[in-house]
Amino acid sequence: MTIGIDNLSEAAVPAAGSWAGHLAEWTARRLEPVVIGLGAILIGLVLFSLFILALGKSPLLLFQLMYTGGFASWFSIQNSLSRAAPLLLTALCVALPARLGLVVIGGEGALALGGVAAAAAALPLAHLLPPVPTLAGIALAAMLAGGIWIGCVGALRHYRGVNETISSLLMSYIAIAVMNQLIEGPLRDPASLNKPSTLPLPADYLIGPLPGMDVHWGFAIGIATCVLSYLLIETTTWGFAARVAGGNTRAAEVQGLPVGRLIVGFTALAGACAGLAGMIEVAAVQGSANGSLIAGYGYTGILVAFLARHNPLAIIPVAILIGGIDASGGLIQRRMGLPDATVLVLQGTLFVVILACETLYGRFKPFNPDLWKRDL
Amino acid sequence: MFDRLSLNRRRFLKTTTAGLLFGAVPGLVSGRARAADGLTVGFVYVGPKDDYGYNQAHAEGAAAVKALDGVTVVEEENVPETVDVQKTMESMINLDGATLLFPTSFGYFDPHVLAVAAKYPDTQFRHCGGLWQAGKHPENVGSYFGYIHQGQYLNGIAAGYATKSKKIGFVAAKPIPQVLQNINAFLLGARSVDPAITCQVIFTGEWSLAVKEAEAVNALVDQGADVITCHVDSPKVVVQTAAGRGAFVCGYHANQSPLAPDKYLTGAEWAWGNVYTDFAKKALAGEKLGNFVRGGLKDGFVKMSPLGPAVSTEARNTFEATLAEIMKTKYSVFKGPLKDNKGNEVIAAGAAYSEDAIELESMAYLVDGVVGSAS
Amino acid sequence: MESTAIGLWGIPLAILAGAIRVSTPFIFVSLGETITERSGRINLGLEGTLVFGAMTAYAIAVVTGSPWLGVAGAMAAGASFGLIHGFICRWPKVNDIAIGIAMMQFGLGLAFFLGKPYIQPAAPHLPSIPFGFWSGLPQIQAALDINVLFLIGAALTFALRWVLANTRIGLTLRVVGDSTDAARAMGIDPHRVRLVATAVGGAFAAVGGAYLSLYYPGAWNEGISSGQGLMAVALVIFARWNPVGCFLAALLFGGAGALGPALQSVGVTSGYYLFYAAPYALTLVIMIATSSPNRPVPGMPGALSLTK
């Protein structure tokens, strides 16, 4: 098993030493990914600079533009955060099953189904209920749809031995087909002429922006879900059991852990996250379910999850980083005359280097928690 | 090249300063930087700028605008119809000082263009294909489109003469009014030559899906269709595959004749350069831009590819006579009596929809003689 | 019905023709991935390699006028991608799945970036052999107009099966794939074997891309692949790491993919999205029917990280 899951031993470190020792140990452990991550980004940027130089363009100008476009002003920051919002949830769709050692790559389909379920549920609910309960209701519908879909992947894995990677991919394509069939067939709003869509949500039922910001509430929901997922994995017995089962299924079964329920539960939860992402796209961005839901968020989420080493908290900065690179991509096209693929090359270079640098974990002495335990 | 770069750098410095000054205060985002002089026009494309089709036609239009004095053009390609396009437009406004935006994909209109336009009332948005309605949509938004079904009607005439099997084929993305108009016009053009002709349509379900488009062409040719046209974003694959199977082809969006010189009959092309330079000149002169702009062949919105070598003299004569007719009057491709392919009358005898009839923009049927389903 | 139309016979013919036309990229990518995975590595990024191969082949064919030089160039490029993947993944703690996904992004980006100038020009196509010469029906002639790469792919399938089962190279690959320690005990350097296996896998995948851009559909643009590379990697698991299984799975996938357009062409016009999903649904159903919870997946290399 080689998925980047933190060592089990981490959870089993004995409580010992003074609080200063604890602090140093804690800092050392938390600092390692930050330093290695930033170092890797630096190496990636240098490599990408060579590429840009080879094209006869100025890498300095490019990085300046990236900073301007992604992070330099309040507008740019909000731009980055808006783009990061759906990735937080689709990344969780990969990160949660990864705790059990499962590689689920079908978030795109769960997102599509979640979006359609949300739009379909909105029609009756909006007649009966005020906005907030309606939104809660359609969020539930979306999470159910996504949860059942990816939960099936988990169930197939455990009860039929069907590989989850291939089944989630296949089911993703099927889900997108179902979505298209529904929004161009039974759920189509006849008034949606050239862009087949479901009936739109009433304007006052849409998810609005965060107070004082131009970023919709979906971003906050995404952050909250990441934090909750972190707590689930790190602090609950379910999370602990999942990590044990992820380490060794056979051993977990021998120990009497409910591996089947864990697998179905975690995959269903993962699907619920992607379904929620679909609901937010419908209720905060699109206003209805339509083909624009298929924008690759599910696939980008895979990348985000692997870069975050399947740690739900780490997903937050990684998603914002990708959002920022995407946000600045436009400026690079407009100001430097480079094609949009420049950003893909940059992302590819960065991600390969960041992931390759995982080999450096544990190589630098100052980051070794044991060292600090001994010293203090 | 160097000049442009240094100009951009200057503007870049200006905008960053502005960004630093105003950016930190959320309420003041609208206090954005502007180009000191001239006009900055932004183009947003949903696919790659050079797709031999839809996006390329728009990018060629943008290139014509670039040639105008005092106009700076900023472009962004592969922008999905999500929050991305909203932020791209805002970024063009805030960071580049764009005051006239052309978001060119249909899917951008509702809700994305409408949402951003409400936030930036001083910026003009002109959207391709949308149905702008006074009172319902903001005043700084407008829509433009061309009666390209006229081009497909002429394609149909060329096809009607070229087909031996009396069966022609259409590869379409989705059954939406703009596509259904084209399919119907293509068949009606062919039927003006020979009323026995039928048209088989295959929907691929996506705007750009190379292998499926090729499979669709093969299925059409296997069923006897010997002239093929399409309405997908990038017709390159359809044209090449059809010609490879020995069928004649009619182009769409842009001129694809170099891909199949012998088999290419003609094609319905956009002429966005005219439309965009017209908008830009008006904006430069400070005139009000139209909110609902439509035009056909005679208005220079649409043009035909030159007729290919396979077009017979007889076909050429009819083609040119019809074209001359279209250039003279408000031409009606859709005239009663007309039935859809389920047998319902859709246009009564004696009635006719001229090119600018608003009813055409909500067409939801396939006419009698088209094999396919509109829903 | 006109004499040129073949009516309902179009459906089986389309499935046959589709199986031959559409399957080739799946065959090459899945054979390549089989080699890689048999060595105990997984390269999920072959979609990027496929698209980069498509671009390279097309560009070289445009510039030199020779499609075969294009294929050769694509193989070299694909092998380089494989080498990068293989080289990075030999380092401890590096996750091969993650690197594959990142390499996919990198390959796509680089292909789109470098491929811009080659979207407009037309490249010479790869040749095909008219096996349908005996038939008077143009439909059959077209269906049996078989590209050389398909034939090479078919030959490679059986060659690979033989190599894996009967040769020293095959044995080495299998040993490394089943157990790193056992390989070391036998004096084999597992890293080197995996490096070579990943490079060969990349080269194969790039040939699949060359088929897309130089034969069917035979054009280069950014939408040339609709996920064939990713799907083919998944098909390897479906095919249980067996080359012949990969070949059959690819044929099944291609044939089922032809169902949607063929049904519409004979007048079955509603629900086409669902027909288009037929290959995925069919594969899933077969997977479910043939899997079993109680025994490990047969044929699976023991050192593979994707499955346990």
Side-chain angles (χ1 to χ4, degrees):
Chain A
M1 192 55 244
T2 58
I3 289 189
I5 293 175
D6 298 352
N7 295 331
L8 270 177
S9 59
E10 189 186 310
V13 169
S18 65
W19 69 267
H22 266 303
L23 185 68
E25 187 195 326
W26 188 88
T27 316
R29 191 183 298 141
R30 302 292 141 171
L31 214 55
E32 185 177 23
V34 174
V35 172
I36 292 182
L38 290 178
I41 290 178
L42 206 66
I43 299 173
L45 291 181
V46 169
L47 285 177
F48 183 67
S49 300
L50 297 177
F51 176 69
I52 293 299
L53 271 178
L55 296 166
K57 304 260 178 184
S58 155
L60 276 182
L61 176 61
L62 186 132
F63 293 136
Q64 219 171 0
L65 288 175
M66 281 185 59
Y67 177 65
T68 311
F71 304 100
S73 64
W74 181 233
F75 166 75
S76 300
I77 291 171
Q78 297 185 98
N79 188 349
S80 305
L81 298 186
S82 301
R83 290 172 195 255
L87 303 180
L88 295 169
L89 289 167
T90 53
L92 282 176
C93 185
V94 183
L96 288 174
R99 286 284 150 169
L100 282 150
L102 304 180
V103 183
V104 168
I105 59 176
E108 189 90 1
L111 182 148
L113 283 187
V116 173
L123 298 179
L125 284 179
H127 279 298
L128 301 170
L129 299 169
V132 173
T134 300
L135 286 173
I138 67 172
L140 194 67
M143 290 166 73
L144 268 177
I148 290 173
W149 201 252
I150 303 293
C152 281
V153 170
L156 283 174
R157 162 73 202 221
H158 185 71
Y159 299 108
R160 286 293 316 170
V162 178
N163 176 280
E164 76 285 355
T165 310
I166 174 166
S167 70
S168 65
L169 184 67
L170 291 167
M171 284 178 71
S172 173
Y173 285 111
I174 296 171
I176 293 168
V178 169
M179 179 198 88
N180 278 319
Q181 196 69 48
L182 287 174
I183 58 181
E184 291 188 17
L187 292 179
R188 181 170 179 178
D189 171 13
S192 65
L193 293 176
N194 283 310
K195 184 182 180 183
S197 310
T198 60
L199 278 169
L201 266 74
D204 47 345
Y205 282 72
L206 294 177
I207 297 178
L210 289 162
M213 287 179 85
D214 194 20
V215 181
H216 59 71
W217 271 96
F219 181 74
I221 298 172
I223 299 273
T225 316
C226 282
V227 173
L228 285 177
S229 303
Y230 179 80
L231 294 177
L232 168 77
I233 290 168
E234 297 294 329
T235 63
T236 66
T237 44
W238 275 85
F240 184 74
R243 283 194 286 163
V244 173
N248 188 336
T249 315
R250 292 279 139 68
E253 266 171 344
V254 170
Q255 284 174 25
L257 284 175
V259 175
R261 266 188 289 161
L262 277 172
I263 287 182
V264 176
F266 266 73
T267 46
L269 218 50
C273 289
L276 186 62
M279 173 268 178
I280 290 170
E281 281 304 294
V282 167
V285 180
Q286 305 287 355
S288 64
N290 56 56
S292 306
L293 286 176
I294 307 305
Y297 291 135
Y299 294 111
T300 314
I302 304 170
L303 207 56
V304 174
F306 273 96
L307 285 171
R309 310 177 85 214
H310 306 300
N311 177 337
L313 281 188
I315 285 175
I316 299 170
V318 172
I320 293 173
L321 175 74
I322 292 188
I325 296 177
D326 281 344
S328 60
L331 212 56
I332 293 170
Q333 281 186 57
R334 272 135 53 196
R335 298 281 171 79
M336 296 185 73
L338 289 169
D340 74 306
T342 317
V343 169
L344 282 179
V345 178
L346 168 64
Q347 287 184 345
T349 317
L350 272 184
F351 301 158
V352 171
V353 175
I354 293 175
L355 292 165
C357 283
E358 294 205 343
T359 191
L360 299 177
Y361 282 88
R363 298 265 183 102
F364 300 116
K365 270 216 172 126
F367 295 132
N368 186 351
D370 297 334
L371 178 84
W372 294 97
K373 242 183 284 176
R374 269 201 309 276
D375 283 355
L376 292 164
Chain B
M1 195 65 214
F2 241 80
D3 285 347
R4 242 187 73 212
L5 212 65
S6 62
L7 173 80
N8 284 344
R9 194 190 287 258
R10 224 180 308 135
R11 180 169 299 143
F12 162 68
L13 288 174
K14 224 180 286 174
T15 45
T16 2
T17 333
L20 289 175
L21 283 178
F22 300 109
V25 191
L28 283 180
V29 181
S30 58
R32 57 197 175 272
R34 283 196 179 285
D37 50 351
L39 171 75
T40 302
V41 185
F43 286 87
V44 189
Y45 313 108
V46 73
K49 273 192 293 192
D50 31 20
D51 60 356
Y52 238 118
Y54 186 85
N55 296 294
Q56 183 170 325
H58 284 291
E60 283 168 6
V65 176
K66 269 183 214 164
L68 295 177
D69 271 342
V71 178
T72 312
V73 168
V74 290
E75 298 172 277
E76 216 174 302
E77 59 183 338
N78 282 329
V79 180
E81 297 161 348
T82 59
V83 77
D84 288 24
V85 65
Q86 299 190 18
K87 294 298 168 190
T88 289
M89 289 189 283
E90 288 192 55
S91 177
M92 285 176 166
I93 297 166
N94 286 324
L95 302 181
D96 295 332
T99 51
L100 173 58
L101 290 178
F102 292 105
T104 59
S105 174
F106 185 87
Y108 290 157
F109 187 63
D110 187 9
H112 310 298
V113 170
L114 296 176
V116 177
K119 261 192 250 177
Y120 297 90
D122 299 335
T123 307
Q124 292 294 321
F125 298 78
R126 289 300 175 272
H127 171 260
C128 180
L131 266 179
W132 182 86
Q133 284 168 286
K136 185 178 171 194
H137 296 135
E139 278 299 311
N140 58 331
V141 175
S143 63
Y144 58 91
F145 202 59
Y147 310 128
I148 200 159
H149 70 265
Q150 296 174 333
Q152 282 291 10
Y153 184 75
L154 290 166
N155 274 351
I157 291 177
Y161 281 103
T163 177
K164 293 193 179 63
S165 64
K166 304 299 170 202
K167 221 171 164 190
I168 56 180
F170 201 113
V171 180
K174 286 173 185 268
I176 58 170
Q178 287 171 3
V179 175
L180 298 176
Q181 272 184 51
N182 281 335
I183 301 170
N184 292 337
F186 184 58
L187 176 80
L188 291 174
R191 282 206 161 176
S192 74
V193 178
D194 181 348
I197 293 174
T198 58
C199 176
Q200 173 82 52
V201 56
I202 292 184
F203 292 102
T204 60
E206 298 290 339
W207 289 104
S208 181
L209 211 56
V211 172
K212 196 146 287 162
E213 287 157 15
E215 279 298 288
V217 171
N218 276 311
L220 289 170
V221 176
D222 280 346
Q223 287 302 325
D226 58 357
V227 188
I228 308 285
T229 190
C230 65
H231 186 163
V232 293
D233 271 359
S234 176
K236 189 180 181 185
V237 163
V238 170
V239 170
Q240 284 184 325
T241 312
R245 285 291 306 263
F248 293 111
V249 278
C250 297
Y252 192 65
H253 286 316
N255 185 357
Q256 287 101 17
S257 63
L259 297 172
D262 300 333
K263 294 291 182 184
Y264 195 81
L265 299 175
T266 181
E269 300 175 34
W270 296 105
W272 293 126
N274 299 333
V275 182
Y276 289 140
T277 44
D278 199 48
F279 271 124
K281 279 181 185 162
K282 276 194 175 143
L284 269 178
E287 292 171 34
K288 192 182 176 327
L289 307 180
N291 291 100
F292 191 77
V293 178
R294 292 290 191 272
L297 280 159
K298 74 167 178 296
D299 315 280
F301 279 48
V302 177
K303 62 186 180 201
M304 298 304 295
S305 316
L307 292 174
V311 178
S312 67
T313 320
E314 197 191 359
R316 182 178 295 268
N317 291 339
T318 315
F319 180 94
E320 277 165 1
T322 315
L323 180 60
E325 191 75 11
I326 293 174
M327 299 301 273
K328 252 196 328 247
T329 54
K330 278 191 177 179
Y331 192 82
S332 301
V333 167
F334 296 97
K335 296 188 280 269
L338 192 62
K339 281 187 175 166
D340 70 10
N341 64 0
K342 292 174 189 147
N344 310 311
E345 187 177 76
V346 284
I347 304 179
Y353 290 138
S354 65
E355 56 182 28
D356 55 349
I358 201 75
E359 290 86 348
L360 296 181
E361 305 218 16
S362 57
M363 187 175 279
Y365 52 83
L366 288 166
V367 299
D368 181 37
V370 178
V371 185
S373 166
S375 59
Chain C
M1 192 81 10
E2 325 296 330
S3 58
T4 43
I6 52 171
L8 288 176
W9 282 107
I11 297 174
L13 185 73
I15 291 173
L16 171 74
I20 295 170
R21 278 193 301 252
V22 181
S23 62
T24 308
F26 293 110
I27 295 174
F28 276 93
V29 179
S30 57
L31 286 183
E33 183 69 7
T34 299
I35 299 172
T36 307
E37 290 191 16
R38 278 292 186 112
S39 79
R41 266 284 159 66
I42 172 157
N43 182 358
L44 210 54
L46 289 185
E47 172 76 11
T49 314
L50 170 108
V51 171
F52 195 83
M55 189 282 294
T56 314
Y58 199 80
I60 293 178
V62 166
V63 173
T64 64
S66 159
W68 290 111
L69 275 181
V71 174
M75 286 181 77
S80 319
F81 271 79
L83 280 177
I84 297 177
H85 183 279
F87 186 74
I88 293 176
C89 290
R90 65 178 292 170
W91 299 337
K93 293 188 188 170
V94 172
N95 180 333
D96 50 354
I97 299 176
I99 292 286
I101 296 170
M103 285 295 291
M104 173 154 72
Q105 189 93 338
F106 181 70
L108 290 174
L110 210 56
F112 295 166
F113 192 100
L114 301 175
K116 287 280 175 197
Y118 301 102
I119 295 177
Q120 304 294 328
H125 279 191
L126 288 164
S128 55
I129 301 172
F131 284 102
F133 60 88
W134 49 269
S135 169
L137 274 177
Q139 286 88 346
I140 300 221
Q141 288 173 6
L144 293 180
D145 197 28
I146 296 175
N147 184 267
V148 179
L149 280 185
F150 175 81
L151 302 172
I152 296 176
L156 273 174
T157 300
F158 294 96
L160 184 60
R161 181 192 150 101
W162 184 80
V163 167
L164 281 173
N166 300 313
T167 65
R168 189 169 172 78
I169 297 174
L171 179 71
T172 309
L173 199 65
R174 280 184 292 138
V175 168
V176 171
D178 276 335
S179 165
T180 310
D181 295 334
R184 286 222 175 84
M186 286 172 67
I188 304 170
D189 177 1
H191 288 317
R192 183 179 301 166
V193 173
R194 286 183 185 144
L195 188 70
V196 173
T198 318
V200 173
F204 272 50
V207 176
Y211 178 88
L212 283 177
S213 65
L214 290 180
Y215 186 70
Y216 192 76
W220 161 246
N221 63 50
E222 294 180 15
I224 187 69
S225 160
S226 34
Q228 280 95 331
L230 195 58
M231 199 57 236
V233 172
L235 284 182
V236 175
I237 307 167
F238 175 69
R240 311 258 155 83
W241 299 271
N242 174 355
V244 179
C246 289
F247 183 71
L248 294 177
L251 285 182
L252 174 84
F253 218 73
L259 202 59
L263 282 173
Q264 282 192 65
S265 78
V266 297
V268 182
T269 51
S270 52
Y272 48 85
Y273 281 111
L274 301 182
F275 292 127
Y276 285 147
Y280 308 108
L282 200 61
T283 312
L284 185 64
V285 168
I286 298 177
M287 283 279 292
I288 295 172
T290 56
S291 296
S292 158
N294 298 323
R295 59 190 155 89
V297 188
M300 191 198 65
L304 206 59
S305 60
L306 186 66
T307 43
K308 279 183 303 190

